[in-house]
Amino acid sequence: MSSENDVKEKAQAAMDQTDRKGQFKQMVLWFGALIVGGILGWCNIPMLNDAFNFVATVFTRLFQFVAVPTIALAVITTLSSLGAKKETGRIFSHAVVYTLLTTFAAAAVGLALFIFIAPENLPADVIGAGVADVPDKLGKLSYYDHFLSVIPNNILQPFIAGNVLSVLLIAFAVGLGLAFMPKSENTEMLLKVINGLQELLFTLIKGIVWALPVGILAFAGQLAAQIEAGVIVGSLGKYVAVVMGGNFIQFFIILPIFLLIRGLNPLNVFKKMAPALAVALFTKSSAATLPVTMASAEDNLKVNKKVSRFVLPICTTINMNGCAAFILVTSLFVMQNAGFELGMGTMLTWLFVAVFAAVGNAGVPMGCYFLTLSLMSSMGAPLGIMGIILPIYTIIDMIETAENVWSDSCVCAMTDNDLKGTLD
């Protein structure tokens, strides 16, 4: 018996060593693609730039193609198998608690920096000129309209439009419906079809991840060419320092502290989730990044699939650390320029508004910008500042999305660590 155990231990050790070697080679390949792409993009060769744009568009469309079905199928299969079991409540409660803690922490860091750095008001003529850059239809949206758009009125439209929150609501309803349905031959057949579709989807995702270095090369080249050409220029000084500084503090200090408190090694988690962070940086969409986030969590971090396939889709829609900080700081900056009185009570109130607004935001490109614009529009604040922010929001959105996915990864890792040994 002991010799059999020795063989198993040696086999497991060999497999672990092979996994580590494979992950190291993968990391070298990704970072190599990032550096080479950046250099080639900086050369600003028109033919190469066209090729980068084409490949980056192809990968973006592929991510979008698998993202929405991934959210729906992951939540449906997990809820249908867990149902009303205690496991469901434990996983969900851990995910929500960690989400709220990290999101409040991100908003608090943003508020502290806003008070400490104290951005000054912009000249009135600059704000007036910025109005022209605000898209007309966005200025007329209200937060009420945003909330109402989440409630689906048919089953296909949310999938066609890529409305992540609506898809999540449908998936919750179907998953719980399957869990509570009387067991029958039809139910079993339906579950087999859904599980089969999920297996097919994850096979497609592995193929995309395998080809990811090509995508990273193209994304890096595309971004470097835009910067070199002067497309992404300008800043608002202290305001940008507050937003970016808050993101970096949350990314490199606050979230690692959360991991350390729960007994996890932040560097290990970061290294194994790096593919998802790279994709998030360039796609600027945590929803589009979800397939890679789930693959990295399950294949690299070895998270229990019951946890990853339930927590990550939920976190993609409610765990918005970067968004909460952006909404808070930008709202305060806009209101300050509009002459609103910003006492400590007002700022703390807006901290809660920002957190809960971020929780209801969809993980799509520029989602935080649209939501902040809606909030400011409903308050009658001057929207010209939002037009001034728009040209630099590309960079802000990249950093925010990477931070959101890093936070999703941390919440998933902490939940898995807390529940290790208690799930089947």
Side-chain angles (χ1 to χ4, degrees):
M1 188 70 176
S2 61
S3 61
E4 186 180 336
N5 288 335
D6 289 342
V7 170
K8 285 182 178 179
E9 287 175 6
K10 288 178 181 177
Q12 187 61 46
M15 289 169 65
D16 291 343
Q17 189 174 7
T18 303
D19 280 350
R20 283 194 293 272
K21 285 181 179 177
Q23 288 170 19
F24 178 75
K25 288 180 181 177
Q26 210 174 37
M27 286 292 294
V28 170
L29 194 60
W30 283 323
F31 278 109
L34 191 64
I35 293 167
V36 172
I39 293 170
L40 292 175
W42 196 259
C43 293
N44 203 16
I45 302 169
M47 188 180 295
L48 268 180
N49 290 347
D50 290 341
F52 288 147
N53 289 335
F54 175 77
V55 175
T57 302
V58 168
F59 269 85
T60 301
R61 291 173 73 93
L62 288 174
F63 289 135
Q64 291 169 339
F65 171 71
V66 296
V68 174
T70 298
I71 293 171
L73 291 173
V75 172
I76 289 171
T77 53
T78 305
L79 280 178
S80 63
S81 62
L82 293 177
K85 295 178 183 177
K86 289 182 179 179
E87 291 179 348
T88 310
R90 288 206 302 270
I91 295 172
F92 183 74
S93 60
H94 277 73
V96 170
V97 167
Y98 285 135
T99 289
L100 289 176
L101 285 175
T102 57
T103 308
F104 269 109
V109 168
L111 178 58
L113 283 179
F114 184 84
I115 294 170
F116 177 73
I117 295 176
E120 295 95 356
N121 288 350
L122 296 172
D125 57 335
V126 174
I127 297 174
V131 174
D133 292 327
V134 179
D136 292 336
K137 64 177 182 179
L138 295 178
K140 297 172 185 175
L141 291 174
S142 67
Y143 194 63
Y144 169 81
D145 296 324
H146 168 76
F147 180 78
L148 198 60
S149 69
V150 172
I151 311 301
N153 58 0
N154 69 66
I155 197 166
L156 292 178
Q157 183 58 31
F159 290 89
I160 296 170
N163 190 325
V164 179
L165 285 173
S166 295
V167 169
L168 194 64
L169 284 177
I170 293 171
F172 262 98
V174 173
L176 290 173
L178 287 168
F180 287 99
M181 277 174 65
K183 301 304 174 189
S184 67
E185 187 179 340
N186 290 336
T187 307
E188 294 300 321
M189 286 179 64
L190 182 57
L191 284 170
K192 283 182 180 179
V193 170
I194 293 172
N195 281 292
L197 287 172
Q198 189 180 45
E199 288 175 15
L200 172 62
L201 189 63
F202 273 89
T203 302
L204 295 176
I205 289 168
K206 286 181 180 178
I208 295 174
V209 172
W210 178 82
L212 191 57
V214 179
I216 290 176
L217 180 77
F219 283 126
Q222 185 186 51
L223 178 65
Q226 288 176 335
I227 293 173
E228 200 279 334
V231 174
I232 303 170
V233 294
S235 71
L236 297 177
K238 290 185 177 180
Y239 162 78
V240 175
V242 172
V243 174
M244 292 295 198
N247 283 328
F248 285 122
I249 290 171
Q250 180 74 5
F251 196 105
F252 292 108
I253 299 175
I254 304 299
L255 290 173
I257 288 174
F258 271 98
L259 291 172
L260 286 170
I261 290 172
R262 303 312 302 157
L264 292 165
N265 183 340
L267 289 176
N268 181 54
V269 178
F270 178 86
K271 182 175 70 175
K272 292 181 176 178
M273 296 304 298
L277 302 182
V279 173
L281 192 68
F282 294 114
T283 60
K284 294 174 281 189
S285 169
S286 49
T289 309
L290 179 62
V292 184
T293 311
M294 291 178 71
S296 300
E298 293 173 10
D299 297 340
N300 299 346
L301 204 54
K302 306 301 180 187
V303 170
N304 188 315
K305 290 181 180 179
K306 285 186 176 180
V307 173
S308 62
R309 298 186 186 187
F310 187 58
V311 171
L312 288 174
I314 292 173
C315 281
T316 295
T317 53
I318 69 170
N319 189 33
M320 297 285 178
N321 287 192
C323 189
F326 176 81
I327 291 172
L328 176 61
V329 171
T330 305
S331 297
L332 293 178
F333 187 58
V334 172
M335 288 191 293
Q336 173 185 292
N337 276 270
F340 286 73
E341 184 67 33
L342 294 183
M344 184 54 67
T346 302
M347 290 192 283
L348 289 175
T349 300
W350 270 92
L351 185 146
F352 283 89
V353 170
V355 168
F356 290 112
V359 166
N361 183 44
V364 297
M366 294 193 70
C368 301
Y369 181 88
F370 295 158
L371 185 51
T372 308
L373 185 56
S374 298
L375 286 168
M376 293 297 96
S377 176
S378 64
M379 290 190 62
L383 300 180
I385 296 176
M386 298 303 295
I388 299 168
I389 292 169
L390 188 58
I392 59 168
Y393 187 73
T394 300
I395 297 295
I396 294 174
D397 202 13
M398 290 174 67
I399 304 300
E400 279 180 358
T401 307
E403 181 189 327
N404 289 339
V405 172
W406 174 225
S407 180
D408 296 346
S409 305
C410 293
V411 170
C412 183
M414 290 188 291
T415 302
D416 180 69
N417 185 64
D418 289 353
L419 300 177
K420 193 164 286 182
T422 66
L423 302 175
D424 293 336

